[in-house]
Amino acid sequence: MDHDEAVRETWRRPPAGAGGEHERLRSLVHHATLAPSSHDIQCWRFRLDGRTISILPDLSRRCPAVDPDDHHLYASLGCAAENLAQAARADGWEPVVRFEDRPPPGRVRVDLTPAPARASDLFDAILRRQSTRTEYDGTPLGPEELELLRSAGTGNGVRTVLLTGGRAKETVVDHVTQGNTAQLRDRAFVRELKQWIRFDDAEAVRTRDGLSGRATGNSSASRWIAGPLFRLLSRTGPANEAYARRIRSASAVAVLVSATDDPEHWVEAGRCYERLALQATALGVRHAFVNQPVEDAARRRRFAWALDLDGRPDLVICLGRGPEMPRSLRRPVDDVLR
Ligand SMILES: Cc1cc2nc3c(=O)[nH]c(=O)nc-3n(C[C@H](O)[C@H](O)[C@H](O)COP(=O)(O)O)c2cc1C
């Protein structure tokens, strides 16, 4: 299978309501796997038990250098849970989603009961959502768009703060570039990141996870030039300049903030991010994460203080209009069902 076929297979929609109940539940899992995860690690396993779908963390896919407390890992489970809930409503189920912290390491449990099917703009956007790491066109978002985004990104103990002013965006530029510089000087961070980079198409198609050169805005290259290319890309100066251009050209920067700092709220922050991202996609607005200010505890506190944020800043996202980028890949449903 070549890269284009793998992309088509990943981002397809199984026919709605087709097949028996088991096929329908597998289709919900397929939609859940289209959610984003940090470095596209796809840190999830799914278990079907009657009309309950459990989303369990796959700890073999942890990234302790960038995500020492597993915040991003649980947030990624929340993203998958939100896609699952949106797809369930469209397929004629009422989903009840909750986080169970026992037995450790916890899981997200989704109980389904039959209900009238309700399609929605957010469901339609699942197949079009992508992380778009590019410069944006800088056009402002209208008050209605901002309100739709804020309300999509609000949940139980999680809120979205939208920054549109030049000064606030400069604060984000400072914290992203400081964080990026520190991360690229950290050997453990760079080693871990390199493990998840898929420079060449064949490798991306074989693993169907990780950060492909294409999706991150770089060409597909073979492994023999991957090392030098990686060193070039990870030079702090050009990388920081690209981040600054992305943030300054964004229509807004969204910061998701949890009132309580625990896995239950990290899952909730992931759900809120996913709704925000789907709402943005439905509005024709693209987005990309710039999480460097929140990935280290001390830097995160300084970031919260600089922006006067009360709570844990979970995720930082640029929003803006811009071109579509190449798509990421996902492992097939059979690989994540246990
Ligand atoms: C919790 C979380 C943290 C992420 N952090 C970053 C980040 O700091 N920088 C970035 O470029 N992408 C980040 N991503 C985006 C993933 O790399 C991306 O979702 C993945 O590669 C799949 O691509 P897609 O979103 O286009 O489907 C993050 C995603 C999640 C869910």
Side-chain angles (χ1 to χ4, degrees):
M1 186 183 292
D2 71 16
H3 197 273
D4 290 343
E5 283 172 279
V7 165
R8 274 196 298 278
E9 189 183 90
T10 297
W11 297 96
R12 78 195 149 80
R13 172 152 289 159
E21 189 161 307
H22 186 71
E23 274 313 301
R24 288 172 65 199
L25 299 186
R26 278 178 60 95
S27 166
L28 301 188
V29 172
H30 171 69
H31 283 91
T33 64
L34 298 180
S37 57
S38 157
H39 292 355
D40 202 9
I41 58 174
Q42 303 170 40
C43 48
W44 41 58
R45 291 190 181 281
F46 296 82
R47 190 186 296 156
L48 303 184
D49 182 13
R51 289 175 172 176
T52 297
I53 302 178
S54 296
I55 311 174
L56 303 128
D58 181 347
L59 299 181
S60 68
R61 291 176 168 260
R62 292 182 67 230
C63 289
V66 68
D67 189 26
D69 60 0
D70 290 331
H71 169 279
H72 286 358
L73 184 139
Y74 284 98
S76 303
L77 300 191
C79 298
E82 187 57 37
N83 268 12
L84 205 157
Q86 297 290 341
R89 287 192 198 99
D91 189 47
W93 304 98
E94 183 55 45
V96 175
V97 182
R98 61 184 147 235
F99 178 70
E100 293 183 340
D101 58 0
R102 303 242 158 244
R107 63 174 178 163
V108 183
R109 176 186 168 132
V110 186
D111 292 308
L112 300 165
T113 43
R118 280 170 295 154
S120 66
D121 290 349
L122 299 200
F123 169 68
D124 285 341
I126 289 176
L127 292 195
R128 285 177 287 122
R129 185 212 57 80
Q130 66 162 202
S131 300
T132 313
R133 300 175 183 91
T134 186
E135 280 178 49
Y136 306 103
D137 70 7
T139 53
L141 296 168
E144 280 179 24
E145 290 172 313
L146 289 169
E147 194 39 48
L148 280 168
L149 294 168
R150 197 185 339 264
S151 104
T154 301
N156 198 359
V158 179
R159 69 187 199 285
T160 288
V161 176
L162 290 172
L163 309 171
T164 52
R167 261 182 63 185
K169 284 206 277 177
E170 285 311 309
T171 302
V172 177
V173 169
D174 283 349
H175 287 255
V176 167
T177 52
Q178 283 167 29
N180 185 55
T181 302
Q183 287 181 333
L184 292 181
R185 287 184 181 154
D186 175 350
R187 283 186 174 197
F189 173 89
V190 172
R191 204 178 312 119
E192 182 180 89
L193 176 62
K194 217 168 168 181
Q195 279 170 11
W196 289 100
I197 297 262
R198 310 284 178 249
F199 279 96
D200 108 28
D201 278 355
E203 188 183 8
V205 171
R206 192 171 65 251
T207 63
R208 295 181 66 150
D209 62 11
L211 297 164
S212 77
R214 289 170 181 252
T216 48
N218 307 297
S219 60
S220 168
S222 55
R223 268 272 150 194
W224 66 271
I225 63 160
L229 186 59
F230 182 81
R231 277 195 287 284
L232 191 69
L233 292 172
S234 50
R235 277 170 48 209
T236 50
N240 283 342
E241 282 157 27
Y243 279 122
R245 283 196 300 274
R246 185 179 306 162
I247 296 162
R248 289 184 182 129
S249 66
S251 311
V253 176
V255 185
L256 282 93
V257 185
S258 290
T260 312
D261 194 9
D262 60 21
E264 182 175 357
H265 287 84
W266 305 341
V267 168
E268 184 69 13
R271 293 192 67 190
C272 290
Y273 153 77
E274 186 64 5
R275 279 197 303 277
L276 171 75
L278 295 175
Q279 180 63 75
T281 305
L283 292 168
V285 174
R286 302 195 183 280
H287 73 280
F289 289 92
V290 280
N291 282 324
Q292 290 87 346
V294 297
E295 290 173 340
D296 166 84
R299 198 171 304 120
R300 188 164 62 240
R301 276 194 295 277
R302 288 197 293 275
F303 184 65
W305 186 83
L307 289 171
D308 202 13
L309 302 170
D310 193 13
R312 172 178 175 142
D314 289 289
L315 299 165
V316 189
I317 298 140
C318 290
L319 292 156
R321 295 188 175 86
E324 185 179 10
M325 297 287 284
R327 310 309 306 268
S328 57
L329 296 177
R330 297 292 186 279
R331 292 175 294 154
V333 167
D334 282 334
D335 287 17
V336 294
L337 269 181
R338 50 172 285 185

